[in-house]
Amino acid sequence: MRTMYDAVTAANIPAGARMVAGYIDKIKLEPWSAADWARFPGAVKVTIVKKASTNAGHVLDVEPGDATPAEAPGWVRMRRAAGADPSVYCDLSTWPSVRSAFSSAGVAEPHYWIAHYDGDPAIPAGAVAKQYRGNVAPGYDVSSVADHWPGVDGTATDSTGVEIMERITVTPPNADENAVRVFLSGSQGAAVIVRPRIGGDGYANPMWVGDIFAWGSDHSGIGHNPKQDPGYDPRLTSHRRYDLPGAVWADINYSAADPFEIDIVG
């Protein structure tokens, strides 16, 4: 279990925090600036949005004055279409209404970050984080977080529990279209996760993933090329998983101005 700090004013958070959460859009108060994010160079950074119309961020803030429970399913659907694995923040008393909204909309539930200021860091069943202390002087909140937060962490397992075998770094030779070859396990759980780097301001510069050509052990083409899927969006600003069951190698066409990572999932 980890400790995470969040605040409206980033300067209120202890400078040595190893995991922080902050805002990247605005309703009334200004979001965190690039300098705010840069105060925590080694920390895991969790980005929060207040408006359900904002197609960015790890977490939607559902509370009075921000997004409503009824708006949460639409935001989650939008973020998944963009390749994200989203989460929703709400307090314990609002959680049933949020879950009901997903059930009524026929949308699979996201990960949950639940607020309940009882001083107990134990994370409730069905949630991935709990905000258990609020408005600690000089003005920050404290949460307990599971060791792996799908959609936020790139750690030893992905959100399905499948082992990540290797992480490679791709340094583009230029910003034009290029290709990188990856080698996979050939298992039915074989996949790649493409991860644009999140900068100090909590954002990633966009990159593009086009054709993916995968081959099996008998040298035959397998799986499907995501570029052929109706409505496929090649633009990535957060991580995206591509399932390639049975693949032993694949060529990924991409365009990127900055280095990025690819997780090889077995």
Side-chain angles (χ1 to χ4, degrees):
M1 188 180 297
R2 298 170 291 174
T3 299
M4 180 174 71
Y5 301 85
D6 69 275
V8 171
T9 303
N12 290 343
I13 295 175
R18 303 304 300 167
M19 189 171 195
V20 299
Y23 298 96
I24 62 172
D25 68 353
K26 174 183 177 181
I27 290 183
K28 293 182 179 179
L29 300 174
E30 290 296 326
W32 283 22
S33 66
D36 289 333
W37 290 104
R39 290 186 73 247
F40 313 101
V44 175
K45 299 176 177 69
V46 180
T47 53
I48 310 168
V49 299
K50 294 173 173 289
K51 296 183 290 188
S53 59
T54 301
N55 191 2
H58 297 112
V59 180
L60 176 68
D61 190 349
V62 174
E63 59 180 311
D66 295 336
T68 67
E71 291 175 323
W75 181 83
V76 165
R77 187 188 291 113
M78 176 176 66
R79 294 299 293 136
R80 286 174 176 157
D85 189 2
S87 299
V88 167
Y89 167 93
C90 63
D91 67 35
L92 187 65
S93 63
T94 306
W95 196 10
S97 298
V98 174
R99 303 192 76 169
S100 178
F102 279 92
S103 177
S104 297
V107 175
E109 291 185 73
H111 310 290
Y112 289 111
W113 174 14
I114 300 303
H116 185 49
Y117 300 148
D118 60 354
D120 182 358
I123 300 171
V128 74
K130 178 187 177 184
Q131 191 181 73
Y132 63 96
R133 296 177 65 198
N135 200 27
V136 178
Y140 60 80
D141 304 323
V142 183
S143 297
S144 52
V145 179
D147 290 334
H148 179 65
W149 186 341
V152 171
D153 293 308
T155 53
T157 59
D158 71 0
S159 60
T160 65
V162 176
E163 183 179 2
I164 292 177
M165 307 298 294
E166 182 182 7
R167 172 169 292 174
I168 64 174
T169 297
V170 179
T171 301
N174 52 57
D176 299 329
E177 184 172 331
N178 297 283
V180 58
R181 177 163 292 180
V182 297
F183 295 92
L184 300 103
S185 66
S187 73
Q188 288 305 299
V192 295
I193 302 173
V194 179
R195 297 182 179 274
R197 290 185 179 176
I198 305 297
D201 59 357
Y203 292 93
N205 286 333
M207 62 172 292
W208 287 260
V209 172
D211 296 304
I212 298 180
F213 303 107
W215 282 264
S217 57
D218 58 357
H219 302 287
S220 62
I222 62 170
H224 74 276
N225 180 353
K227 191 174 178 181
Q228 306 305 315
D229 292 345
Y232 175 69
D233 183 0
R235 184 177 186 270
L236 278 68
T237 55
S238 60
H239 83 272
R240 186 179 301 177
R241 177 184 174 122
Y242 299 92
D243 291 309
L244 302 169
V248 295
W249 59 280
D251 289 327
I252 303 171
N253 289 352
Y254 70 90
S255 297
D258 302 317
F260 60 95
E261 275 67 48
I262 298 178
D263 289 342
I264 311 299
V265 179

